[in-house]
Amino acid sequence: MRQEISSSPQIHSPWFQRSSLLVLLVSVGFYVVFIDRTAFVVDGEMFFTLRDDAMISMRYAKNLVEGYGLAWNYTGAPVEGYTNFLWVLWMAVLHLLPITAAKISLAVSMSGAAILVANMLVVRSIALRLSDEWGAITAMALTGLYYPLIYWTLRGMEVGLLALLVNAALLHLIVWKQTGETRNLVSVAIALCVGVLVRPDAIVPAAVVIAAIAWIGAVTGPAGGEALLQRLGPAAVVALAVFATVAAHTAFRVWYYGDPLPNTYYLKVSGVTVAERAARGFNVLLPIFKEHLIVPLVVALYGLWRAREFECSVLWGLLIAVGAYSVYVGGDAWEYFRFANRYVSVVMPALFVLVGLSVSGLREDLENFDSSGHHRVPQLLLAATLMFVGLLALRVAVDSRFFVWFRQAQGAIALATLSAAFGWAAMYWVAAKGRRFLGVGVTTVVVAATLLGSNASAILGQWLPRAGAAVLADNARARLGLLIEASTDTSVSIAVTAAGNIPYFANRHTEDFLGKVDPVIAHLQPRDEFLPGHDRWDYQYSVGRLEPDLLVNLWSPTELEYLYFATLGYRDVFGQGVTESPDDAPCPGYMGAHGLGCSCQDGSFFSGMTCDLLVRDGAAVDVGMILNNWGFVRGAVSGEQ
């Protein structure tokens, strides 16, 4: 029996209300602990940081508030080195408040937590429209506790806001389809327009939603050519609104930055073929699906034969479209974190709504389980699915060599046979004892397995031991920025590879080796294997021509390039010589790591980033202060306060 779509809000049971409150409290509690664990103390004051990319946006926001315009540097022509326009403006609003630099990142994280809560509630409303209370609680819990979405949002990225806007558009689309009320269509248009201003690639989910509006119009109402054009009117209006928003933003870019596209577009796309991007995009996305998304996908696919409503097709369409987009652009630069990237995380709530639909149907199927032995084929399918979910969750969580055989074809065949046999036998016995117990118990186990399979390895492998991917490295960069500010004159300029925390806290004119805010570098041809935003640099330009006073870290420098720096008058602050690689350097291939590079052991640094600190002769840099306080920087890497 198919689950009927709810056309109006219903009075919810006490169980549902208590469960919603519990999910909300557990989620918010985790958010609070997550944020608290990112803090570090400097001279008795607690500091907070964000992901290094987010701190690039924070520097734009701070400069805007301080009167330097929407620019990364204090002087020179502004360059659009961000792709999250409205998120930068929100950060600027927070900078207007009387909040110190130590706590401003906390304000961004707190706003992110509020967004995650709002997103949970919107996802719950979507699931209630398509499923029952069990499905809604499932979708809410999986969304609220989904680690990648939590990580990207609380670490200062716009991912959570974009997910909220996409889900808000979906909710109002569903309500509009059910009620036909124009105000809901207006809400869809507003959410999509705001979305493309938050991040331009929101145009991908926007296109899916607009296509859904067009389809709804095309298949309803009277036939005929003129009638069809009339029915497509709502889709055309929404599409026109989104197009006008993009056009207005593009006009602003041309007026303010002198270019219709952000600098990061040239940095990540120019000089790279579609085939190269797609090859990397597929290669980095596939492991994420295998390691973190296989369990929810299996559960969601179980519900395909039950949930054939148009709305479910839209949800699957979102997942496919954004996944294809992630492949097309070559993925993100951070897949080595081993969880969903910033693109995929945005639409994961759609998958969790589908999981909720499956869980609702699973519970119904189990409570109607026929212990007499009739309908054995569907029951065997159900049993195999349940056993697969449990074993997949265990495989993902434990990641033990014991499960290597599972990857092989013969292992999969054996598992399918055993799953069907033991799973069906277990359900046959339990069904005779109590169908309600069977439905509630097994459904709860499936939800827990899905939650575990989606999050366990990231939480156990990254968050518990190190407060999250790159958190210690970001804290070290923030400390280094504070040290640079204290040990240099305001006239000193620096050059960096990590262009977020160090420049933000150093408050010095900064050059960007990798070209995120430098159009000269962005328009170069890739120098290395394609890695979005990290495959082109030119030291003859960035060092030889721009002449920064302090080279804070470098990207894949060769021995000849170190010698080139020496001929320009740069010397190693630590006195080792710029071509030396200390025997105790914690990361192979690092030159001059000086202890800071140990953070690469947790995936915090790319293998190409060094931790050098080179100063130009005659620069107003207090080298003695840096040396005396270097332990202050290293303390962030080791987790010391």
Side-chain angles (χ1 to χ4, degrees):
M1 177 178 176
R2 288 173 53 185
Q3 174 69 41
E4 296 297 329
I5 294 179
S6 173
S7 60
S8 62
Q10 301 175 355
I11 298 176
H12 305 305
S13 68
W15 170 85
F16 177 77
Q17 295 173 358
R18 290 192 299 268
S19 298
S20 296
L21 180 60
L22 177 62
V23 169
L24 191 64
L25 291 176
V26 171
S27 300
V28 171
F30 182 72
Y31 304 160
V32 171
V33 175
F34 184 100
I35 295 171
D36 178 70
R37 295 192 67 207
T38 65
F40 63 96
V41 178
V42 178
D43 295 332
E45 184 176 13
M46 185 171 288
F47 276 71
F48 292 84
T49 63
L50 301 175
R51 185 77 188 94
D52 207 70
D53 271 18
M55 294 304 293
I56 295 176
S57 301
M58 288 280 277
R59 183 165 159 111
Y60 275 94
K62 182 176 68 170
N63 285 350
L64 177 62
V65 171
E66 293 180 353
Y68 297 104
L70 201 54
W72 190 65
N73 264 322
Y74 308 119
T75 59
V79 177
E80 188 181 6
Y82 60 88
T83 50
N84 50 355
F85 178 66
L86 281 189
W87 191 241
V88 171
L89 294 186
W90 169 243
M91 290 175 164
V93 170
L94 295 178
H95 277 81
L96 290 171
L97 303 176
I99 304 175
T100 65
K103 302 295 192 300
I104 189 65
S105 294
L106 173 62
V108 176
S109 294
M110 290 176 63
S111 69
I115 288 170
L116 290 173
V117 170
N119 189 46
M120 265 194 296
L121 298 177
V122 171
V123 169
R124 186 186 69 168
S125 296
I126 293 173
L128 278 173
R129 289 276 175 176
L130 303 178
S131 180
D132 59 10
E133 292 181 347
W134 271 87
I137 289 296
T138 298
M140 180 184 181
L142 294 176
T143 299
L145 294 172
Y146 184 54
Y147 182 81
L149 188 58
I150 295 171
Y151 175 87
W152 294 120
T153 304
L154 297 188
R155 294 300 290 156
M157 307 302 289
E158 68 283 351
V159 175
L161 177 57
L162 200 54
L164 173 61
L165 291 168
V166 170
N167 291 325
L170 283 174
L171 175 60
H172 287 287
L173 171 69
I174 293 169
V175 177
W176 173 72
K177 178 178 180 291
Q178 296 171 357
T179 66
E181 295 179 353
T182 303
R183 62 179 181 176
N184 288 294
L185 193 64
V186 173
S187 297
V188 171
I190 293 173
L192 296 182
C193 290
V194 174
V196 294
L197 289 177
V198 170
R199 189 171 177 88
D201 45 27
I203 196 68
V204 176
V208 174
V209 173
I210 292 171
I213 296 173
W215 180 264
I216 293 170
V219 299
T220 59
E226 294 183 1
L228 176 60
L229 292 176
Q230 184 179 2
R231 295 197 304 271
L232 293 178
V237 170
V238 175
L240 182 61
V242 173
F243 174 80
T245 302
V246 173
H249 191 196
T250 303
F252 168 78
R253 284 193 177 112
V254 173
W255 170 71
Y256 195 83
Y257 296 109
D259 199 300
L261 296 170
N263 190 61
T264 50
Y265 170 83
Y266 302 104
L267 181 67
K268 297 181 179 182
V269 175
S270 66
V272 183
T273 66
V274 174
E276 289 176 305
R277 294 200 308 269
R280 183 188 184 275
F282 179 80
N283 288 335
V284 297
L285 187 61
L286 183 60
I288 304 304
F289 274 96
K290 290 169 59 178
E291 295 178 19
H292 292 276
L293 302 182
I294 185 66
V295 176
L297 281 172
V298 168
V299 177
L301 288 171
Y302 171 76
L304 273 179
W305 70 279
R306 305 187 81 262
R308 301 184 181 90
E309 288 80 7
F310 173 75
E311 290 85 347
C312 298
S313 301
V314 177
L315 298 177
W316 282 109
L318 271 176
L319 292 168
I320 294 171
V322 173
Y325 175 77
S326 181
V327 171
Y328 169 75
V329 298
D332 205 352
W334 317 107
E335 281 87 0
Y336 69 91
F337 287 172
R338 309 305 292 179
F339 54 71
N341 64 27
R342 292 177 289 179
Y343 308 125
V344 176
S345 294
V346 169
V347 294
M348 282 305 297
L351 177 60
F352 296 144
V353 171
L354 292 168
V355 170
L357 285 168
S358 291
V359 165
S360 175
L362 175 64
R363 177 170 170 267
E364 180 182 337
D365 291 342
L366 289 169
E367 292 184 353
N368 294 327
F369 186 79
D370 185 0
S371 61
S372 66
H374 299 294
H375 311 295
R376 287 175 180 265
V377 173
Q379 291 174 8
L380 286 172
L381 175 62
L382 175 60
T385 300
L386 292 176
M387 293 296 292
F388 262 109
V389 167
L391 290 172
L392 284 171
L394 186 62
R395 157 70 184 88
V396 171
V398 177
D399 195 24
S400 168
R401 292 182 180 273
F402 177 79
F403 291 95
V404 170
W405 66 272
F406 175 70
R407 300 190 185 102
Q408 303 173 354
Q410 60 268 33
I413 295 172
L415 180 62
T417 304
L418 292 174
S419 296
F422 286 102
W424 183 82
M427 288 193 298
Y428 182 90
W429 181 82
V430 176
K433 303 296 181 181
R435 295 180 181 179
R436 179 172 177 80
F437 168 80
L438 177 68
V440 173
V442 175
T443 301
T444 302
V445 171
V446 170
V447 174
T450 305
L451 191 62
L452 180 69
S454 302
N455 299 292
S457 59
I459 292 178
L460 297 177
Q462 295 181 8
W463 183 74
L464 283 178
R466 296 184 297 273
V471 170
L472 297 182
D474 289 331
N475 289 353
R477 292 165 186 151
R479 294 191 191 205
L480 182 54
L482 291 170
L483 181 56
I484 290 172
E485 182 183 38
S487 60
T488 63
D489 185 77
T490 56
S491 63
V492 167
S493 62
I494 66 176
V496 298
T497 293
N501 281 286
I502 296 173
Y504 182 87
F505 287 101
N507 291 303
R508 297 292 182 264
H509 181 91
T510 308
E511 307 299 345
D512 177 15
F513 284 136
L514 293 181
K516 193 164 190 176
V517 290
D518 190 326
V520 173
I521 300 296
H523 285 78
L524 294 176
Q525 289 298 306
R527 180 174 167 176
D528 204 350
E529 182 180 353
F530 172 62
L531 178 63
H534 300 78
D535 57 7
R536 57 198 79 187
W537 61 96
D538 183 353
Y539 289 125
Q540 289 190 357
Y541 164 76
S542 297
V543 180
R545 178 177 170 185
L546 299 181
E547 298 182 333
D549 297 303
L550 194 63
L551 312 184
V552 181
N553 46 34
L554 300 166
W555 184 261
S556 296
T558 65
E559 184 173 341
L560 287 177
E561 285 170 332
Y562 274 110
L563 293 174
Y564 172 67
F565 301 147
T567 64
L568 295 177
Y570 288 91
R571 58 187 176 88
D572 185 1
V573 166
F574 301 93
Q576 289 183 286
V578 295
T579 60
E580 291 189 30
S581 180
D583 294 335
D584 61 349
C587 298
Y590 273 44
M591 293 189 178
H594 313 300
L596 186 58
C598 64
S599 59
C600 72
Q601 293 174 352
D602 70 356
S604 298
F605 285 121
F606 286 108
S607 60
M609 185 186 296
T610 70
C611 301
D612 296 285
L613 201 59
L614 309 181
V615 61
R616 188 160 61 99
D617 291 338
V621 178
D622 189 340
V623 174
M625 177 179 287
I626 293 176
L627 292 175
N628 291 335
N629 291 276
W630 191 247
F632 161 76
V633 177
R634 290 188 61 181
V637 176
S638 62
E640 301 170 3
Q641 294 298 318

